[in-house]
């Protein structure tokens, strides 16, 4: 609409000049001047409406793209998303998505009208003089087709720019996250060199991209000037040979310009076509990430919580080293089991399999006799609360971070969970109690405090199975004792799986499963295992264990 009215304004202005040169009456001129004024107002309104609508459309589009990227990552997590660096994902979800938005929200309608205008102009020129139409058509075709010759080149360069941006973003994200370690080891120089190299690579890619884009722009401007000169020469010829009045010249030239200008505008933005295609490919890749595990049926619900590993073997994707080897054991409902073993023996991997972050390479895991894969992921994960070694705290209040375990929890339930996790005392000493925001994953809290909030999150949930991965690792003896007491007071219906290496935690378990070489090397109570002089004793004194 906005482009149509601009086009009409230019044609009417040219027509008025033609009328003046051909000596038309003031009444006729007045009429066309009024029409021109009306079109100018309409153009302004149309541009305003376009900006308004495209703004809304732009936001809706960016949101849709970002949600679909998030869905792809969630579907493929954690296995495939680990292969993508965080900075790269952030670049795809922000700059690539914005580039797509610029095309769809601002350009799609412009493209349609920009290609419509030359068609209308050609029909009008055909009526003025068919010869003009014959001259103008190849000019328009040249302007439109010229970018196709460099399309592959543009895509390659666009991809190089997008990839260089991602590498730079990933470096910056890594530097920001690991800054303390970099400073501690005095590696600022080395890392700033890496940053400089990434910057230089981006600069180089952008320079090449800009050089080609600039060349195309110059070519397009030259073609426009040539088209108008061709129209002028053709008009002069027609006036000589076919008696076309020279008064038509302003009208003919304004039609030519009105047809080409919007075309040039979209082609200029379309000069980013290469970057756009590269961005679309990168977004598409994340959106289409295959799922890590297939979801089960929402209609199936567990009838009990007996957990069984049946001949389970597992290798991580892209690795052929088996982590678990033909593992079989059962955990009864309400049992307190500790999983012990050397660092890297596969303890956390067991938790991943129970939560179905991965499926076993062979063998089955079942819940009360039903294969885990039969349940929907949502149902399964509602049965199991997991406190990982590095639980993430979101940029939200402590209260809401705990509430993640149970969205409808009342404040007193949250407070009770925090008390059981030995977190209430330190939370109450904070200036705003449960209200302070946990910044950057909880950087404003100590490691032990973060762990206790994560534990409270698991305790507030009503999941019948709780997996604790080294929860006491960051705690002092007193807090460890309090947490053990809290775990002891949990209803006996809740199954507790504790991945642990510290003696108090191991002692609190009814049964310890000792993992070695992907197998259960020994199983029994703490007393029995240490008395037998099994590898548990060795593990407890081995300085290389965690
Ligand atoms: N995403 C992965 N891809 C490939 N190998 C992995 C992956 N994650 C873990 N591993 C490997 O699997 C093995 C078991 O890892 P896991 O984290 O389960 O050990 P763990 O016993 O929990 O160790 P720790 O006590 O140090 O936490 C290790 O050798 C590790 O290198």
């Amino acid at each position: 609409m906005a482009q149509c009215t601009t086009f009409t304004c230019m044609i009417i202005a040219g027509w008025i000049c033609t009328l003046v040169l051909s000596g038309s009456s003031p009444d006729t001129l007045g009429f066309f001047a009024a029409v021109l004024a009306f079109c100018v107002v309409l153009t302004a309104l149309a541009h305003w409406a376009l900006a308004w609508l495209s703004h809304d459309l732009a936001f809706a589009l960016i949101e849709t793209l970002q949600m679909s990227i998030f869905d792809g990552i969630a579907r493929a997590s954690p296995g495939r998303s680990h292969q993508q660096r965080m900075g790269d994902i952030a670049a795809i979800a922000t700059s690539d998505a914005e580039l797509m938005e610029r095309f769809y929200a601002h350009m799609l309608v412009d493209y349609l009208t920009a290609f419509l205008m030359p068609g209308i102009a050609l029909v009008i020129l055909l009526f003025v003089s068919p010869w003009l139409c014959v001259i103008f058509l190849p000019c328009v075709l040249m302007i439109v087709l010229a970018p196709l010759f460099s399309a592959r080149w543009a895509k390659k360069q666009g991809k190089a720019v997008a990839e260089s941006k991602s590498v730079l973003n990933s470096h910056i994200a890594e530097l920001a996250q690991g800054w303390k370690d970099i400073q501690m080891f005095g590696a600022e120089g080395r890392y700033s060199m890496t940053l400089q190299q990434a910057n230089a690579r981006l600069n180089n890619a952008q320079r090449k991209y800009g050089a080609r884009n600039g060349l195309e722009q110059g070519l397009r401007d030259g073609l426009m000037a040539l088209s108008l000169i061709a129209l002028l020469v053709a008009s002069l010829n027609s006036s000589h040979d076919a008696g076309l009045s020279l008064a038509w010249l302003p009208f003919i030239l304004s039609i030519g310009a009105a047809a080409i200008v919007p075309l040039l505008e979209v082609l200029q933005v379309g000069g980013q076509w290469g970057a756009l295609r590269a961005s679309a490919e990168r977004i598409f890749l994340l959106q289409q990430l295959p799922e890590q595990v297939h979801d089960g049926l929402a209609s199936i619900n567990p009838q009990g919580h007996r957990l069984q590993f049946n001949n389970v073997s597992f290798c991580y994707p892209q690795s052929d080293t088996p982590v678990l080897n033909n593992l079989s054991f059962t955990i009864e409902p309400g049992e307190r089991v500790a999983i012990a073993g050397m660092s890297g023996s596969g303890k956390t991997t067991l938790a991943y399999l129970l939560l179905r972050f991965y499926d076993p390479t062979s063998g089955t895991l079942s819940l009360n006799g039903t294969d885990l894969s039969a349940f929907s992921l949502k149902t399964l994960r509602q049965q199991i609360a997991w406190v990982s070694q590095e639980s993430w705290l979101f940029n939200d209040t402590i209260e809401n971070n705990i509430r993640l375990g149970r969205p409808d929890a009342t404040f007193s339930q949250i407070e009770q969970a925090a008390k059981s996790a030995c977190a209430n005392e330190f939370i109450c000493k904070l200036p705003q109690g449960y209200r302070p925001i946990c910044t950057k994953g909880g950087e404003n809290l100590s490691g032990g405090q973060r762990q206790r909030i994560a534990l409270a999150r698991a305790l507030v949930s009503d999941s019948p199975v709780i997996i604790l991965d080294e929860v006491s690792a960051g705690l002092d003896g007193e807090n460890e004792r309090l947490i053990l007491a809290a775990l002891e007071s949990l209803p006996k219906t809740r199954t507790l799986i504790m991945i642990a290496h510290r003696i108090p935690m191991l002692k609190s378990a009814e049964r310890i499963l000792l993992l070695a070489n992907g197998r259960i090397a020994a199983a029994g109570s703490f007393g029995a295992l240490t008395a037998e002089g099994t590898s548990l004793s060795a593990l407890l004194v081995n300085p290389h264990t965690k």
Side-chain angles (χ1 to χ4, degrees):
M1 171 79 175
Q3 284 205 340
C4 287
T5 50
T6 310
F7 178 77
T8 313
C9 284
M10 287 177 79
I11 293 182
I12 295 175
W15 181 238
I16 291 174
C17 292
T18 296
L19 289 179
V20 170
L21 290 175
S22 55
S24 287
S25 69
D27 282 354
T28 316
L29 287 175
F31 170 74
F32 280 105
V35 174
L36 180 61
F38 175 72
C39 283
V40 167
V41 174
L42 211 62
T43 305
L45 287 174
H47 274 288
W48 169 72
L50 181 71
W52 187 27
L53 282 176
S54 61
H55 187 73
D56 274 3
L57 186 61
F59 272 99
L61 194 83
I62 288 188
E63 192 184 344
T64 310
L65 282 175
Q66 288 175 338
M67 288 315 291
S68 64
I69 290 170
F70 173 76
D71 284 346
I73 294 169
R75 195 173 46 245
S77 281
R80 289 190 178 84
S81 63
H82 276 170
Q83 294 155 28
Q84 203 111 17
R85 292 169 81 187
M86 290 314 293
D88 195 22
I89 292 177
I92 295 174
T94 52
S95 46
D96 286 345
E98 274 168 28
L99 200 61
M100 295 295 292
E101 171 272 312
R102 221 177 297 160
F103 173 73
Y104 280 113
H106 303 297
M107 291 297 302
L108 205 56
V109 179
D110 291 358
Y111 262 103
L112 288 177
T113 45
F115 285 102
L116 188 69
M117 299 306 148
I120 297 173
L122 283 167
V123 172
I124 298 174
L125 288 178
L126 188 70
F127 282 107
V128 178
S129 162
W131 183 233
L132 296 176
C133 188
V134 172
I135 292 290
F136 194 55
L137 179 63
C139 296
V140 171
L141 286 179
M142 269 197 299
I143 293 175
V144 173
L145 298 178
L148 294 183
F149 293 104
S150 62
R152 275 182 68 180
W153 195 17
K155 185 187 163 196
K156 204 172 141 201
Q157 289 182 335
K159 200 170 172 189
V161 170
E163 281 174 359
S164 309
K165 258 189 208 163
S166 278
V167 171
L168 182 63
N169 276 353
S170 302
H171 276 311
I172 292 173
E174 240 168 40
L175 276 182
Q177 279 175 329
W179 191 240
K180 281 190 212 120
D181 296 82
I182 291 173
Q183 275 183 325
M184 199 174 74
F185 290 103
E188 292 96 331
R190 197 163 1 123
Y191 277 90
S192 68
M193 181 76 86
T194 322
L195 203 62
Q196 274 170 18
Q197 282 166 352
N199 253 315
R201 192 178 148 195
L202 175 61
N203 209 344
N204 191 26
Q206 268 174 338
R207 193 161 358 97
K208 285 183 187 161
Y209 190 90
R212 179 201 42 80
N213 207 12
L215 194 70
E216 280 181 7
Q217 163 101 45
L219 216 84
R220 276 196 299 273
D221 290 349
L223 280 175
M224 175 178 176
L226 272 179
S227 306
L228 292 180
I229 291 169
L231 262 187
L232 182 68
V233 172
S235 306
L236 292 175
N237 259 350
S238 294
S239 78
H240 188 261
D241 299 342
L244 181 76
S245 164
L246 281 179
W248 281 92
L249 256 183
F251 181 61
I252 292 168
L253 290 179
S254 65
I255 284 187
I260 294 174
V261 167
L263 201 58
L264 284 184
E265 273 175 17
V266 293
L267 288 176
Q268 189 188 352
V269 184
Q272 293 183 351
W273 186 239
L276 190 82
R277 279 183 68 184
S279 290
E281 262 178 24
R282 283 155 50 81
I283 290 176
F284 193 67
L285 219 70
L286 279 191
Q287 285 174 332
Q288 300 300 313
L289 278 176
E291 54 189 4
Q292 181 71 46
V293 291
H294 293 295
D295 207 352
L297 293 177
S299 54
I300 302 182
N301 281 306
Q303 302 303 317
H305 297 96
R306 188 167 193 258
L307 288 165
Q308 254 180 316
F309 279 65
N310 304 308
N311 299 319
V312 170
S313 297
F314 179 71
C315 277
Y316 276 99
Q318 274 94 39
S319 156
D320 44 17
T321 314
V323 177
L324 302 177
N325 254 320
N326 233 8
L327 203 65
S328 296
F329 62 89
T330 304
I331 298 177
E332 298 296 339
E335 205 183 350
R336 272 116 216 268
V337 177
I339 314 273
M342 304 275 274
S343 176
S345 58
K347 303 182 293 294
T348 302
T349 307
L350 280 184
Y352 285 168
L353 293 183
L354 279 172
L355 290 155
R356 282 200 75 217
F357 287 154
Y358 300 93
D359 276 339
T361 318
S362 68
T364 55
L365 282 93
S366 61
L367 190 57
N368 225 43
T370 308
D371 196 294
L372 294 191
S373 58
F375 303 106
S376 74
L377 292 171
K378 190 171 173 217
T379 305
L380 176 70
R381 291 172 188 168
Q382 274 168 351
Q383 312 306 311
I384 305 173
W386 175 48
V387 182
S388 79
Q389 286 180 38
E390 44 204 31
S391 295
W392 184 259
L393 298 188
F394 291 89
N395 213 24
D396 204 339
T397 58
I398 291 181
E399 179 185 339
N400 285 342
N401 265 293
I402 297 177
R403 189 170 275 124
L404 193 68
R406 185 171 171 184
D408 60 353
T410 61
F411 180 73
S412 71
Q413 285 169 326
I414 286 175
E415 203 177 27
Q416 186 51 47
K419 277 182 186 157
S420 302
C422 298
N424 185 56
E425 197 181 322
F426 86 80
I427 294 174
C428 290
K429 282 186 190 154
L430 295 172
Q432 296 160 287
Y434 281 79
R435 292 267 147 215
I437 302 284
C438 305
T439 55
K440 288 195 216 156
E443 204 189 39
N444 49 347
L445 299 168
S446 77
Q449 289 172 336
R450 283 202 291 272
Q451 270 302 67
R452 277 178 277 170
I453 290 177
L455 178 60
R457 188 190 274 171
L459 295 182
V460 82
S461 77
D462 46 13
S463 314
V465 180
I466 303 177
I467 305 178
L468 307 175
D469 198 344
E470 306 278 15
V471 277
S472 62
L475 302 179
D476 54 38
E478 174 59 10
N479 273 314
E480 184 178 36
R481 197 186 56 72
L482 287 172
I483 282 192
L484 283 173
L487 294 177
E488 196 56 42
S489 66
L490 281 178
K492 295 295 172 208
T493 47
R494 293 182 94 171
T495 310
L496 211 54
I497 303 174
M498 302 173 282
I499 297 172
H501 71 281
R502 287 169 63 138
I503 294 175
M505 209 75 168
L506 293 173
K507 271 186 175 168
S508 76
E510 293 159 4
R511 188 159 57 112
I512 299 170
L513 301 175
L514 185 63
L515 271 189
N517 302 320
R519 291 200 165 83
I520 306 276
S525 67
F526 181 83
L529 289 188
T530 43
E532 284 168 15
T534 60
S535 38
L536 182 65
S537 322
L539 176 79
L540 295 175
V541 292
N542 190 334
H544 300 297
T545 61
K546 288 187 59 189

